[in-house]
Amino acid sequence: MQAIQILQTGGPEALTLRELPTPTPGPSEALIRIEAAGVNFIDVYFREGRYPAQLPYTLGQEAAGIIIALGPDTSEDFKVGDRVAWCSIPGTYAQLALVPVSRLVHVPDAISMQQAAAAMLQGMTAHYLAHSAYSIRPGDEVLVHAGAGGTGLLLTQIAKSLGARVFTTVSNEEKAELSRTAGADEIILYTREDFAAAVKRLAPAGLHAVYDSVGKTTFDQSLSILRPRGTMVLFGASSGPVPPFDLIRLSQVGSLYVTRPSLKDYIASREELEQRAGDVLSSVADGSLNLRIEHVYPLADAIHAHQDLEGRKTTGKLLLIP
Ligand code: NDP
C-alpha cells in the first residue's frame, strides 16, 4: 500500500510517498481501506517534530473508509463492508489503516465519506470547545481566533447555535466574508486594526471566553480582553507555542481561568466519542452544521496540502484521497 511518511522531521518536503506492506489486523483491530483522510494542523506539528514520533512515521489522524478485514475479538457492532470514520489515531495518510474498533464510528447513509472524514477531528473539536471546555450559555460574548479556518468556521456555527454573540479574527476580506456566512457577529481584520482594541470598543465589559488556536502571537492580548472570571481556552499554536507563563498573572487581571485542552481527553470514553460524533455527523446530515471542504488533493500531493495550510491560504477543510 502507499503511504506518506516522514523519515526525518522538517518542512513539507519531508513528506515522502512510500510503498509499505499490507498490515494485518491484530486483536480488536479493523483493517480499513481509506477513502478520504483529513489534513490537520496537528500533522504539521508531528512533521516538524514539535510533537515527538517514532520514525519512520505515517502522518495523519483522521479518515473515513470501508472495513475490509477484522482481527480476533472485535465487537459485533462492526462488520466487513461497514462505512466508518475515526480520528486521533495516527497513520491515515495512507491507502490502508489499522484502527482499534473501539475508536470507530459508523458513517450515516446521508453523509458522504469525504464529509465524514472532514467532520471528525475539527467538528468534534468545535463541539467540545463550545459545549465542554467552556460551556457557552445564551448571551455569552466569545472570541474565536482564525475564524475562517477549518475549526474556526465550525466553532463559530456551534457557538451561534448556543446563543453567543461571536467575535472572530481573520487576516483578509475574503476570510471575513466566510466568517460572516458562518454566523459571526463581529469580525475583526486583525491585519488592519489591533484586535484587542476593537474588542474593548465593542464589548467594554470584556468577553466570557476566548478560543485561541493561534497561540504565541495572540495569547497576551487575548487575556487582556476577558471579563473578570472569564475563560481562556488555548487550544492550538498555529503561530508557535506560548512561552512559560506565571500563574500569578491570572489573579492580577480578574481571577481568570486558563485551560489547554486536547480533543483526545474529550472523546476518551466510548460513550463520549459516540455522543460527540453522533451530534456532529447528524448536524452535518441535517444541514445545521455546514462543512466547507475547500480542497481535495491526491495522497501523493500531501506536500502541497501542508504548504497551503501553513501558508494561511486555506479556509476550511483539506482532504487527501488515496
Ligand atoms: P486553520 O484552518 O485554522 O488554519 C490556521 C489559521 O490560523 C490560518 O489560516 C490563519 O488564519 C491563522 N494563523 C494565525 N497566525 C498564523 C501563523 N503564524 N501561521 C499559520 N496560521 C496562522 O487550521 P485548523 O482548523 O486545522 O487548526 C486550527 C488550530 O486548532 C491549530 O492550532 C490546531 O493545532 C488547533 N487544534 C487543536 C485541537 C485540540 O483539541 N486542542 C484539535 C484540532 C485543532 P488567518 O489568516 O485568518 O490569520
Side-chain angles (χ1 to χ4, degrees), residues 94-154:
Q95 291 177 317
L96 301 170
L98 288 178
V99 184
V101 286
S102 62
R103 305 315 293 165
L104 295 173
V105 297
H106 284 107
V107 176
D109 290 342
I111 292 192
S112 71
M113 297 302 258
Q114 290 197 7
Q115 286 176 307
M120 290 296 286
L121 199 148
Q122 292 174 343
M124 289 201 290
T125 296
H127 189 281
Y128 89 73
L129 290 172
H131 286 276
S132 311
Y134 170 80
S135 305
I136 294 177
R137 287 165 301 229
D140 279 358
E141 294 180 307
V142 305
L143 171 68
V144 177
H145 281 296
T151 309
L153 288 169
L154 298 171

Side-chain angles (χ1 to χ4, degrees), residues 139-307:
D140 279 358
E141 294 180 307
V142 305
L143 171 68
V144 177
H145 281 296
T151 309
L153 288 169
L154 298 171
L155 178 54
T156 300
Q157 293 175 64
I158 297 176
K160 278 307 292 176
S161 73
L162 293 171
R165 180 186 183 203
V166 179
F167 296 65
T168 59
T169 62
V170 296
S171 61
N172 63 40
E173 287 286 0
E174 187 201 341
K175 291 188 176 188
E177 199 43 48
L178 284 167
S179 178
R180 197 179 317 282
T181 307
D185 299 285
E186 308 288 353
I187 299 145
I188 301 162
L189 271 102
Y190 70 89
T191 42
R192 293 199 196 148
E193 65 175 327
D194 181 87
F195 79 82
V199 171
K200 283 175 188 161
R201 188 180 74 246
L202 295 162
L207 302 178
H208 293 82
V210 175
Y211 293 102
D212 191 340
S213 64
V214 175
K216 188 176 173 185
T217 58
T218 49
F219 182 79
D220 281 331
Q221 279 185 295
S222 295
L223 276 187
S224 77
I225 53 176
L226 284 164
R227 65 176 55 200
R229 292 160 59 181
T231 302
M232 158 69 96
V233 185
L234 177 70
F235 72 100
S238 302
S239 70
V242 173
F245 175 81
D246 187 348
L247 289 174
I248 195 68
R249 280 179 58 197
L250 299 177
S251 77
Q252 294 160 349
V253 286
S255 304
L256 302 179
Y257 295 85
V258 176
T259 179
R260 177 56 177 92
S262 180
L263 171 62
K264 66 179 181 347
D265 296 315
Y266 288 83
I267 51 170
S269 69
R270 178 78 202 157
E271 190 186 5
E272 201 168 11
L273 171 66
E274 280 182 4
Q275 184 243 317
R276 257 185 233 292
D279 271 9
V280 169
L281 295 179
S282 62
S283 303
V284 172
D286 69 20
S288 53
L289 189 64
N290 185 26
L291 280 179
R292 180 176 157 80
I293 299 178
E294 190 200 9
H295 210 121
V296 175
Y297 307 78
L299 179 66
D301 247 1
I303 289 179
H304 290 129
H306 276 224
Q307 286 168 336

